[in-house]
Every structure is written in C-alpha cells, then in structure tokens.
C-alpha cells in the first residue's frame, strides 16, 4: 500500500499542474477568490457597527472565529469537497473503477484526488483575520490554547469529512445524491457564526445531528481560553462517532458496488 503522505504529495503536485494548465481560468479563479475574501468581513463589520457583542462574542472574538472558519473552510473546499464530488461523478460514470485498481485505500484516494491550490489564499487570509482579532482583544494565546485549538480543528474537520463520506457512500445506492452534498456544503455557512447564537433544538441539531456550528466555534473558544473540558470531550466523541459510522457505511457500500461501465 502506498503511504498516505506520499500520496498527498503526489496529488498536490498534480493539482497544482492541473490548476495552471489553463492560465486564463487559473487567473480568473484567483481573482474570484480575492473578491470572496474581501466580502467575508462585511457582515461582521456591519453587525458590530451597531452593537458591542452578540451571544457573548465581542468584535475581536468574532474576528478570531471568522478567521478560523475561513481556515477550516479552505481545507474543506481545497481538498475534501472537490475530491469527493469527483468521486460521486466517477461512481456514476464508472471512472471509480480506476480508483479501485490502485494500491491505495479507496477512501483515502477518493478524499485527496482533486486539489484547488487557490484555497491557500483563504487559509492565509483566515490566519490574518484571526491574528487581527487577537490584537483587538490584546490577547496572546498560550501554547496549551493553540494546541487545544488545533485538536478541536482536527475533530471538527473529521466530523464534517465523515458527513461528506456518508453522502458518497449513499451515492453507491442513489446515484443522484450530488444535491445532498451541495446542501451540506451550504449548511457549513452556519459555522461563520458562534454556536451560542442558536438556541434550544437548533443548538442541539447543529452540535450533534449536523455538527457544522462547532467547526469554528470550539476551535476559536479553545484559542481564546474559553473551552471547557466537557465541550472538548464532546467534540472528540462526536468526531469519533461520525468517523466510525462513515467508515462502516463506506465499506458496506463499497462491497455492493457494481461498475457503471460494466
């Protein structure tokens, strides 16, 4: 079996070459990315131009959350989402057969097969916005806080990744499931706001059923030193549960796969 790190290096190189193959498209995508980045701050600046805080989050802490959201979203949109969308298309057309012929875990290969290099701009911009938020708060996170933020980020990414894998597993049975994946990607926009703005049933849904609200909230809370041990353990447990379910569903669906080209 090929080592996953070697595979990631290879597909990253391939993704870069594919992206610059058509120079006009490459430049247009870059321009669109810069436009999106410039629009990210507008809702937050408008909101906090009218009030001091929302659900216990000040202007500075919201900048930290927004920045972290942009970092997390850039990873999803740069690697996971385009790769799994391509996998669903391959299942429909029969091109997924070529994935099964390679000496790599099909789930790993399907998750990193297509990369969008321009998303690195979102990552850098997100880190810059989070840094600006810390400057506004005049707060420097401790090494423990940064470690906890990274751990919560990994848990959040694995949770959302598992949700997308469940969509892909469903595509083995229901071919036209792409719309569900698009809906899930749209729901991730809720993660640009803190989970505390959702109350009652909605907070329960966005924490345990469709846990998109915690993709940036818990990492940001960890970075700001607000995360409790119970919240951290909950995030890890949710990630482990969804990832186990996704792996089980993937293996069951793969066992029933019949090539569309046969």
């Amino acid at each position: 079996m090929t080592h996953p790190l070697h595979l990631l290096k290879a597909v990253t190189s391939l993704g870069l070459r594919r992206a610059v193959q058509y120079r006009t498209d490459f430049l247009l995508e870059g321009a669109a990315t810069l436009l999106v980045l410039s629009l990210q701050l507008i809702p937050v600046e408008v909101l906090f131009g009218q009030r001091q805080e929302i659900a216990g989050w000040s202007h500075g802490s919201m900048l930290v959350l927004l920045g972290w959201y942009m970092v997390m979203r850039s990873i999803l949109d740069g690697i996971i989402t385009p790769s799994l969308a391509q996998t669903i298309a391959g299942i429909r057309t029969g091109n997924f057969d070529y994935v099964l012929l390679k000496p790599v875990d099909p789930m790993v290969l399907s998750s990193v097969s297509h990369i969008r290099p321009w998303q690195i701009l979102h990552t850098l911009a997100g880190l810059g916005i989070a840094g600006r938020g810390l400057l506004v708060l005049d707060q420097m996170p401790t090494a423990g806080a940064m470690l906890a933020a990274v751990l919560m980020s990994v848990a959040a990414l694995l949770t959302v990744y598992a949700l997308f894998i469940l969509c892909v597993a469903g595509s083995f049975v229901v071919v036209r499931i792409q719309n569900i994946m698009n809906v899930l990607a749209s729901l991730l926009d809720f993660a640009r706001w803190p989970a505390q703005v959702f109350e009652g049933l909605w907070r329960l849904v966005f924490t345990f059923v469709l846990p998109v609200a915690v993709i940036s909230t818990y990492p940001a809370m960890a970075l700001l030193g607000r995360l409790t041990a119970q919240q951290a353990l909950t995030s890890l447990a949710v990630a482990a549960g969804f990832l186990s379910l996704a792996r089980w569903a993937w293996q069951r669906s793969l066992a029933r796969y019949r090539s569309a080209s046969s």
Side-chain angles (χ1 to χ4, degrees):
M1 300 290 283
T2 302
H3 196 283
L5 291 179
H6 294 163
L7 173 65
L8 184 59
K9 180 180 178 181
V11 296
T12 300
S13 176
L14 180 61
L16 289 171
R17 294 177 184 178
R18 184 187 295 117
V20 301
Q21 183 177 5
Y22 302 99
R23 296 180 181 179
T24 301
D25 290 346
F26 182 71
L27 294 175
L28 288 175
E29 185 176 356
T33 298
L34 292 174
L35 177 61
V36 170
L37 290 178
S38 65
L39 296 175
Q40 292 286 344
L41 285 171
I42 292 179
V44 174
E45 297 299 333
V46 170
L47 179 63
F48 284 95
Q50 304 295 325
R51 55 194 308 174
Q52 296 296 318
E53 66 175 41
I54 176 172
W57 289 73
S58 65
H59 182 214
S61 58
M62 273 295 296
L63 289 176
V64 173
L65 185 144
L66 176 61
W68 213 264
Y69 162 79
M70 291 173 63
V71 172
M72 303 285 279
R73 190 65 189 255
S74 68
I75 297 174
L76 291 170
D77 291 346
I79 302 176
I80 296 175
T81 304
S83 297
L84 294 183
Q86 190 176 55
T87 298
I88 291 178
I91 293 171
R92 186 174 63 251
T93 61
N95 289 334
F96 183 70
D97 297 359
Y98 297 107
V99 174
L100 299 177
L101 294 175
K102 293 179 173 61
V104 184
D105 187 314
M107 183 170 157
V108 174
L109 183 58
S110 297
S111 304
V112 295
S113 61
H114 190 76
I115 293 178
R116 294 174 178 170
W118 273 113
Q119 289 296 322
I120 190 65
L121 292 179
H122 285 262
T123 303
L124 297 176
L127 291 174
I129 292 174
R132 179 190 167 194
L134 292 173
L135 288 176
V136 171
L137 294 170
D138 192 19
Q139 178 178 342
M140 180 62 66
T142 64
M146 289 189 288
L147 180 62
V150 171
L151 184 61
M152 291 298 96
S153 298
V154 172
L157 285 172
L158 289 177
T159 301
V160 179
Y161 168 68
L163 291 173
F164 279 115
I165 287 293
L166 288 172
C167 289
V168 178
S171 69
F172 285 100
V173 180
V174 182
V175 176
R176 294 188 177 277
I177 204 170
Q178 181 71 44
N179 290 337
I180 297 179
M181 192 169 174
N182 293 335
V183 170
L184 178 57
S186 298
L187 287 174
L188 293 179
D189 286 338
F190 284 108
R192 71 174 65 245
W193 302 105
Q196 287 78 7
V197 302
F198 305 106
E199 297 181 353
L201 178 62
W202 288 114
R203 183 178 298 187
L204 181 66
V205 169
F206 287 132
T207 302
F208 297 102
V209 182
L210 290 173
V212 295
V214 300
I215 187 175
S216 55
T217 299
Y218 282 8
M221 289 176 63
L223 197 64
L224 297 171
R226 301 180 183 177
L227 192 70
T228 66
Q230 181 180 2
Q231 289 171 326
L233 291 175
T234 299
S235 181
L236 293 174
V238 169
F242 271 94
L243 195 59
S244 298
L245 176 62
R247 183 64 179 179
W248 173 82
W250 171 274
Q251 292 177 329
R252 287 290 300 269
S253 299
L254 190 62
R256 299 178 179 179
Y257 173 66
R258 296 295 181 269
S259 173
S261 60
S262 61

